[in-house]
Amino acid sequence: MAEKNKQNQGIYDTIIIGAGAAGLSAAVFAARAGMKTLIIGDPNQSMVAMAADIGNYIGTDNWSGKQWLEVGLQQIKKYGAEHVIAEVVHVVKQENNGIFYVKTSDAKQYQAKTIIICVGIAYKTTGIRGEKELVGRGIHYCVACDGWYYKNKKVAVIGNGNFAAEEAIELTSYARDITIISNGQEFQISQEFMNELKKNNIKMIDDKVREFRKDDKGEKIAALILENGKSFPIDGLFVAIGTATALDFSNKLALDLDEKQNIKVNRETGETSLAGCYAAGGCIGGTIQIAKSVGDGCVAAISAIKKVKGISRYVDHT
Ligand SMILES: Cc1cc2nc3c(=O)[nH]c(=O)nc-3n(C[C@H](O)[C@H](O)[C@H](O)COP(=O)(O)OP(=O)(O)OC[C@H]3O[C@@H](n4cnc5c(N)ncnc54)[C@H](O)[C@@H]3O)c2cc1C
């Protein structure tokens, strides 16, 4: 028993991914319920931070989104939630113990009994000529889903951040020749990931891509045409722009999606198709408003609280 307690010490009751409206709302509920709570994400990268005046959220007329976030962060910390500004690049659930392993851009790994995905809205395509018609024919958005098709092949990952680095490293289980191409952006990859890329002989180039070129039969991708006119032959391309999005997490965890590619949840509980994994806010679709995200965060957190505590009813009246 003592050994089991020791093992559990580093395990959070819940990890909330995303520190915007839904994430902060989930955090305040979880922390107030005495849950060991970690919230990972940069509030300044949230949509809320872009709002100049959130006059339609009751009680905050004339507040900027940044003010609202600042007060929210103080509030969750007051109740004991821990906050880390980092980007989550990978999540898996270990089937034998039901624990979620959450990996961040600074190469840290956290463990939790439940997770709540609150990453907002973002589906990133490159917009480069040829992309749409080559999706699934050499252009992919998920290494965990499609990397297998590229055993011993030459592949590229398009992106300039830690998420692109993580996807490239995951590809080493399959491909023999891997290049990350930043599409003219400056690389913003942490030292830990840079070391991993070097260790795995992953190349990095910063050329801009003008077009995705098909093979002679017009069936699949054959090359990237760079801005300088040169051709860069490849067998496959993985898009990993910016940070990992809701869609990336759902791919990694094999979560069900709805018809609009949002994470599908039980609307009464916020639970996804994977037990112990909840989602809230913009990433589950619906109205794009702070009030809606705050409500979703509350619902998901209460479900996580019930699961961790093994109770069927939880009301916070304190
Ligand atoms: C300019 C503008 C003005 C707006 N004004 C209003 C308004 O006045 N009233 C209103 O109700 N709504 C307004 N909105 C909409 C509102 O901001 C959103 O509906 C709300 O923020 C969505 O909440 P969310 O928690 O789902 O996502 P967000 O608030 O966007 O938060 C997402 C969080 O997830 C984090 N994240 C994403 N990926 C990762 C990752 N891989 N690892 C870790 N963290 C990650 C982000 O950094 C961020 O912290 C406005 C939106 C914009 C763009």
Side-chain angles (χ1 to χ4, degrees):
M1 187 65 159
E3 187 55 32
K4 192 163 184 207
N5 284 341
K6 205 171 158 195
Q7 278 172 17
N8 283 341
Q9 271 173 10
I11 303 178
Y12 287 92
D13 289 323
T14 195
I15 290 180
I16 298 159
I17 305 172
L24 290 180
S25 168
V28 80
F29 276 86
R32 279 172 60 94
M35 299 259 282
K36 187 172 161 59
T37 303
L38 174 67
I39 177 166
I40 306 175
D42 185 353
N44 285 324
Q45 299 294 321
S46 70
M47 265 168 94
V48 188
M50 293 161 80
D53 172 6
I54 45 175
N56 63 357
Y57 189 73
I58 200 73
T60 57
D61 200 11
N62 286 326
W63 284 36
S64 72
K66 286 205 167 148
Q67 259 177 298
W68 189 83
L69 289 164
E70 209 178 297
V71 174
L73 275 170
Q74 283 169 13
Q75 190 175 348
I76 62 158
K77 286 181 191 163
K78 175 179 139 190
Y79 289 112
E82 294 170 45
H83 176 219
V84 169
I85 296 185
E87 176 194 332
V88 173
V89 290
H90 197 65
V91 188
V92 283
K93 182 180 181 185
Q94 205 77 51
E95 277 316 318
N96 57 354
N97 58 9
I99 296 293
F100 291 90
Y101 293 80
V102 178
K103 193 170 147 194
T104 53
S105 45
D106 47 4
K108 295 207 169 105
Q109 185 164 274
Y110 302 92
Q111 300 174 32
K113 295 174 192 166
T114 60
I115 58 166
I116 309 178
I117 302 173
C118 302
V119 292
I121 313 162
Y123 181 75
K124 289 156 192 159
T125 54
T126 67
I128 295 168
R129 185 155 24 120
E131 180 177 12
K132 268 192 196 152
E133 41 188 320
L134 287 169
V135 172
R137 296 195 290 147
I139 295 187
H140 307 270
Y141 299 84
C142 169
V143 171
C145 319
D146 300 323
W148 186 86
Y149 297 108
Y150 293 94
K151 280 189 183 153
N152 292 318
K153 302 271 177 164
K154 181 177 176 183
V155 293
V157 174
I158 193 161
N160 69 327
N162 292 312
F163 178 50
E166 165 70 22
E167 291 289 88
I169 292 161
E170 205 170 329
L171 272 167
T172 57
S173 309
Y174 316 102
R176 70 172 160 79
D177 185 334
I178 304 161
T179 303
I180 305 180
I181 182 157
S182 74
N183 195 24
Q185 304 286 309
E186 195 183 325
F187 279 108
Q188 292 181 344
I189 295 177
S190 67
Q191 194 52 51
E192 289 84 354
F193 270 116
M194 287 300 281
N195 297 344
E196 281 290 303
L197 294 176
K198 210 168 158 197
K199 209 165 79 192
N200 286 289
N201 294 320
I202 294 169
K203 289 162 272 184
M204 294 166 70
I205 59 173
D206 60 5
D207 294 73
K208 209 162 166 26
V209 180
R210 188 202 299 162
E211 185 188 341
F212 299 126
R213 182 74 52 85
K214 290 180 221 158
D215 62 5
D216 291 342
K217 292 182 188 158
E219 285 175 356
K220 56 183 181 58
I221 199 165
L224 310 177
I225 307 301
L226 307 178
E227 201 62 48
N228 60 16
K230 283 192 183 150
S231 169
F232 186 88
I234 46 163
D235 298 306
L237 176 89
F238 287 82
V239 178
I241 298 171
T243 57
T245 65
L247 199 62
D248 299 311
F249 289 124
S250 32
N251 284 332
K252 285 184 192 304
L253 292 164
L255 305 180
D256 289 349
L257 300 175
D258 67 16
E259 63 286 351
K260 290 186 180 159
Q261 303 291 293
N262 298 308
I263 299 177
K264 195 170 174 180
V265 295
N266 174 330
R267 292 279 166 178
E268 279 179 25
T269 61
E271 193 163 29
T272 67
S273 54
L274 180 68
C277 173
Y278 304 86
C283 63
I284 66 168
T287 311
I288 310 296
Q289 289 289 280
I290 293 170
K292 184 263 184 192
S293 285
V294 165
D296 289 347
C298 153
V299 169
I302 287 178
S303 302
I305 294 164
K306 286 183 190 162
K307 180 167 179 80
V308 169
K309 293 182 180 279
I311 52 177
S312 59
R313 217 168 155 262
Y314 175 78
V315 188
D316 181 358
H317 282 322
T318 51

